[in-house]
Amino acid sequence: AQSVSQHNHHVILSEAASLELGCNYSYGGTVNLFWYVQYPGQHLQLLLKYFSGDPLVKGIKGFEAEFIKSKFSFNLRKPSVQWSDTAEYFCAVNGDSGYSTLTFGKGTMLLVSP
Amino acid sequence: GAGVSQSPSNKVTEKGKDVELRCDPISGHTALYWYRQSLGQGLEFLIYFQGNSAPDKSGLPSDRFSAERTGGSVSTLTIQRTQQEDSAVYLCASRRSGYGGELFFGEGSRLTVL
């Protein structure tokens, strides 16, 4: 079975601070990895994804994530956060093939103070 | 429509009553997922439909929960004899056929069981 662990449930940062949200997954085979974001009052939307190739992937709004296979990690980073990045962030894993369930972590609530 | 549509957006019911939640996926998307989102619990997988294959029901928490998908399109999630612990936001997502594609989420149906 696949599982996802997000290290922090709540993160509070000031604008311009750097961000790194931890995500570790448990699965023995090939995986697809995702970060989704849910802004206040909005539906979940895709931030970025990794399928194969370059382990450093770039997403929308200046976010990036690095897949480190040896550590089973897919941490999300942004060098300088903005107030508008306040949202809940979910890491997700999809094992073996695309035709399987997408398992989400419990989410990290990010609050950016102006 | 352009996105995943869910109804009702809010449902308040009394304990013991049955409820039906509807999801209309993006046209042409063959995969459909139901998740449950509770405060602090992240997204809990419920059920997954892929084309004409038998659905993956492994996430349904009890036999009070069931779902069907008619004609490969609209899906209905039914909760019988609702309990207070069923209170949550029920999210539907769809995906275009293919390997590991992005999930598109609806706005969710917020269920409150009194």
Side-chain angles (χ1 to χ4, degrees):
Chain A
Q2 56 199 28
S3 65
V4 179
S5 175
Q6 291 185 238
H7 306 160
N8 309 98
H9 296 302
H10 293 90
V11 173
I12 301 174
L13 295 173
S14 299
E15 274 194 317
S18 64
L19 169 72
E20 181 160 4
L21 301 182
C23 172
N24 286 91
Y25 67 93
S26 173
Y27 188 75
T30 303
V31 292
N32 298 327
L33 295 157
F34 305 80
W35 277 96
Y36 280 82
V37 60
Q38 188 171 30
Y39 297 103
Q42 297 187 25
H43 62 274
L44 278 155
Q45 56 188 284
L46 183 69
L47 201 54
L48 49 77
K49 61 187 177 186
Y50 170 80
F51 288 168
S52 64
D54 189 344
L56 183 63
V57 292
K58 297 188 183 300
I60 60 172
K61 303 187 180 184
F63 286 90
E64 65 178 31
E66 184 175 11
F67 170 50
I68 303 180
K69 189 174 181 180
S70 61
K71 295 184 178 180
F72 297 90
S73 69
F74 190 56
N75 292 353
L76 181 70
R77 298 194 294 250
K78 185 171 184 178
S80 176
V81 295
Q82 301 174 316
W83 176 79
S84 58
D85 293 325
T86 292
E88 192 160 18
Y89 293 81
F90 294 91
C91 183
V93 64
N94 180 181
D96 267 340
S97 77
Y99 301 100
S100 66
T101 61
L102 188 61
T103 301
F104 285 82
K106 292 189 183 298
T108 297
M109 185 66 220
L110 171 65
L111 177 62
V112 180
S113 57
Chain B
V4 177
S5 178
Q6 292 188 245
S7 61
S9 55
N10 276 287
K11 175 72 175 179
V12 179
T13 190
E14 293 179 348
K15 177 181 172 181
K17 295 287 180 74
D18 298 351
V19 296
E20 284 189 352
L21 307 176
R22 176 189 166 103
C23 173
D24 199 346
I26 294 172
S27 178
H29 281 196
T30 62
L32 187 147
Y33 295 76
W34 282 99
Y35 288 88
R36 179 166 68 176
Q37 186 175 22
S38 306
L39 193 63
Q41 296 301 311
L43 274 74
E44 177 188 3
F45 165 72
L46 297 177
I47 189 168
Y48 162 54
F49 296 89
Q50 171 61 55
N52 295 321
S53 302
D56 179 351
K57 303 180 182 180
S58 61
L60 294 177
S62 77
D63 58 8
R64 295 187 296 105
F65 288 73
S66 63
E68 62 177 19
R69 187 177 184 192
T70 54
S73 181
V74 171
S75 177
T76 302
L77 177 69
T78 301
I79 308 173
Q80 296 178 310
R81 305 181 302 281
T82 53
Q83 304 294 312
Q84 288 183 332
E85 60 263 29
D86 299 334
S87 297
V89 177
Y90 289 82
L91 296 173
C92 177
S94 70
R95 187 182 68 195
R96 188 182 299 121
S97 64
Y99 183 79
E102 174 185 354
L103 259 63
F104 292 83
F105 282 85
E107 301 278 352
S109 292
R110 180 176 296 278
L111 174 65
T112 303
V113 182
L114 301 176

